[in-house]
Each structure stands twice: as structure tokens, then as C-alpha cells.
Amino acid sequence: MWAQTINMLLGLWLMAAPGVLGYGRPASTSDHIVGPLVATFACIAIWEATRPVRWTNLPLGIWVLATPWVLGHPLSGQLGSVLSGTAIALLSCLGGSIQQQFGGGWSMLWRSSRS
């Protein structure tokens, strides 16, 4: 859960970074699109039943990591983008412990209830 909380904060940071660090388009547009997505998927992945949604942040983190070279971030945004992208990608790989089992998956549809 703590990894997803940090990813939510990193998503918020991505939304604020262009204003704080003072860089413009196209890097700011990318951050304004990816930031809310990272925060949303991290928020959804906090709960055990929806934990696999965290994997959606892995390609988003890789994209944020690559944007300084793909979109040409100015120097002020390069380090923040590399650090944020790396953290998002790594934290999306941390699943956390599972306390309960939910349902049984698709196989429960054809299993007999007479075990």
C-alpha cells in the first residue's frame, strides 16, 4: 500500500512539475497527461482486489523516464523526470501482501459446489 501511496504523490508531482520547474511544451503536456493517470492507477491499486492495476504504471513510468530524450526536456526537468520515472516503474512492481482471497476466478463458474 505504501508503494501505491508514493506513486499517487509522484503522479501529483508530475502534474505540478512543469509549473514548479518552469518548462513548457511538449514535456509539460506529457506530464499533464501521465501524472493524473499514474495517480489514478495507483489509487485504484491500493485495494487488494484491484492490486494488479498497479502494472499499468510500469509502462507509464518507463515513458516518464524516457521523455527527456524523446521530447527534449530542458535541463530543469531532466533530473526530475528521470527520478520520477524510475521510482514509478520500480514502485509499480511492488505488490504488497495479500490478506484475503476474493472470488475464485473464472474457474468458479464451472466447479461443482458439492466438493
Side-chain angles (χ1 to χ4, degrees), residues 4 8 10 18 21 23 44 48-49 53 58 64 66 70 89 99 105 112:
Q4 305 316 319
M8 280 192 307
L10 286 170
L21 300 176
Y23 56 88
I44 292 170
E48 288 182 38
V53 173
L58 182 61
V64 172
V70 175
Q99 305 294 325
S112 112

Side-chain angles (χ1 to χ4, degrees), residues 12-25 27-29 31-32 73-74 76-77:
L12 294 173
W13 164 250
L14 284 176
M15 289 186 279
V20 172
L21 300 176
Y23 56 88
R25 291 189 172 130
S28 66
T29 304
D31 286 353
H32 285 146
H73 269 286
S76 63

Side-chain angles (χ1 to χ4, degrees), residues 51-101:
R51 184 90 27 94
V53 173
R54 77 183 192 278
W55 290 108
T56 310
N57 277 340
L58 182 61
L60 293 173
I62 292 170
W63 169 251
V64 172
L65 176 64
T67 54
W69 296 279
V70 175
L71 299 178
H73 269 286
L75 187 60
S76 63
Q78 285 179 356
L79 182 61
S81 190
V82 168
L83 292 176
S84 297
T86 304
I88 290 167
L90 291 176
L91 290 171
S92 68
C93 295
L94 299 177
S97 62
I98 301 292
Q99 305 294 325
Q100 298 175 327
Q101 293 292 332

